[in-house]
Amino acid sequence: MPLRRHLLATAASAVLALSVSTPALAQTVLKASDVHPAGYPNVVAIENLGKKLEASSAGRYKLQMFPGGVLGSEKEVVEQTQIGAIQIARISLGILGPVVPDVNVFNMPFVFRDEAHMRAVIDGPVGKEILDKITNSPARLVALGWMDSGSRSLYTKKEIKTPADLKGLKIRVMGNPLFVDTMNAMGGNGITMGHNDTYSALQTGVVDGAENNPPTLFTANHYSTGMKFYTQTTHLIIPEIFVMSKVAWDKMSRDDQANMTKFAREAQMEQRALWDKSVAEYSTKLQAAGVQFKSVDKKPFYDATAPVRAKYGSQYAELIKRIEAVK
Ligand code: BDP
């Protein structure tokens, strides 16, 4: 049996065993998914949210975290969450674009000035509005909260100084046409695949590079495939998001829902503190492993991606003005 299916089967029997051994307690197990490994800030923050929910519900709810992408790629996990087979999905907002197109306004290249700007936006009314758009869309997902994911920059075997240096290079991007357009506009060839397939694609040369933040570059081992240059384009500053299956949400009492909302906000803030530490820690580790962090003139990349912002942003002109106005 393939590992993923085996783990699913094991998880299913664990759930069964639990309900058999504790007949007095009607316990609902919420399966949570993350592509990142145990210990990653996002995983820790969701696990802690689960502990709070378990305590506040006197054990009626229990969260079971499946890290490392064992439940599937983010695209698969979103689908599973929509039908209620997975209850909580922590994913990149990037992957939600094809499901809820309104979120793409945050997925556009250089839409945020910097990470502080992105944080101010997600913490404020615009962030709340996008969460509500997801919840109120037909996607059958309840948007619980945001997380940080820093900035995404390019990693390759050779140094990238200008868009021309990306010519002919296949660069892995997340599964959203917006990112293919972005990478193509930046000079390369955007190739989509799931996060957990990227390591072997880099290793076998199916792609020549990828783009992500330092914690992912390190924890997914991408740096060890010869990705010596980390070129600080910071072209995408995409928040992470965690969503709940509407199927599971609708079964919760009002009180449990209110607790969930409160703990979600706390998880957002907890992850942020862990995130800042992890960026510092993994940047140091990457440099110790020989990865060269290169600053680069961002203007040519910004200019080259103007058509992408025009294509995906034109129907959100008002919203973009409000984003820009956030200090
Ligand atoms: C990481 C995100 C993760 C994405 C991954 C990717 O945390 O949710 O799956 O990038 O590139 O930064 O697919």
Side-chain angles (χ1 to χ4, degrees), residues 36 74 90 92 149 152 172 174 195 212-213 216 240:
H36 291 300
E74 290 195 342
R90 198 297 307 159
S92 168
S149 195
R152 295 176 77 100
R172 180 270 169 178
M174 287 189 283
H195 174 64
N212 221 312
N213 52 49
T216 304
E240 318 270 42

Side-chain angles (χ1 to χ4, degrees), residues 34-36 40 42 74 90-93 95 148-149 152 155 172-175 193-196 198 211-213 215-217 222 238 240-241 275:
D34 201 304
V35 293
H36 291 300
Y40 198 92
N42 312 359
E74 290 195 342
R90 198 297 307 159
I91 46 178
S92 168
L93 189 68
I95 226 70
D148 275 44
S149 195
R152 295 176 77 100
Y155 41 92
R172 180 270 169 178
V173 297
M174 287 189 283
M193 67 183 70
H195 174 64
N196 293 89
T198 305
E211 42 88 60
N212 221 312
N213 52 49
T216 304
L217 174 54
H222 294 174
I238 306 177
E240 318 270 42
I241 189 157
W275 178 255

Side-chain angles (χ1 to χ4, degrees), residues 189-315:
N189 298 327
I191 308 280
T192 61
M193 67 183 70
H195 174 64
N196 293 89
D197 293 325
T198 305
Y199 172 80
S200 69
L202 287 166
Q203 205 185 29
T204 55
V206 166
V207 292
D208 303 298
E211 42 88 60
N212 221 312
N213 52 49
T216 304
L217 174 54
F218 189 88
T219 57
N221 258 323
H222 294 174
Y223 74 98
S224 72
T225 63
M227 300 297 123
K228 283 264 168 276
F229 293 97
Y230 188 50
T231 307
Q232 313 275 276
T233 45
T234 65
H235 53 281
L236 295 171
I237 304 181
I238 306 177
E240 318 270 42
I241 189 157
F242 51 110
V243 295
M244 189 162 176
S245 171
K246 191 157 169 20
V247 180
W249 177 261
D250 286 345
K251 288 184 190 150
M252 285 185 129
S253 70
R254 283 280 158 91
D255 284 352
D256 289 333
Q257 287 177 346
N259 282 332
M260 186 58 134
T261 306
K262 175 171 175 277
F263 301 148
R265 184 73 182 185
E266 290 169 12
Q268 177 167 331
M269 293 305 152
E270 181 183 353
Q271 188 268 355
R272 181 166 298 176
L274 294 171
W275 178 255
D276 286 339
K277 279 193 213 134
S278 109
V279 172
E281 177 190 339
Y282 291 119
S283 298
T284 306
K285 286 188 171 164
L286 286 166
Q287 279 159 328
V291 176
Q292 299 181 40
F293 283 53
K294 293 282 183 187
S295 54
V296 67
D297 180 8
K298 296 182 201 178
K299 182 139 193 315
F301 295 97
Y302 177 85
D303 291 346
T305 51
V308 182
R309 285 185 294 282
K311 176 174 170 186
Y312 292 89
S314 54
Q315 73 261 50

Side-chain angles (χ1 to χ4, degrees), residues 45-59:
I46 296 289
E47 283 169 341
N48 288 340
L49 174 158
K51 284 179 198 152
K52 290 179 190 170
L53 188 70
E54 186 173 347
S56 74
S57 69

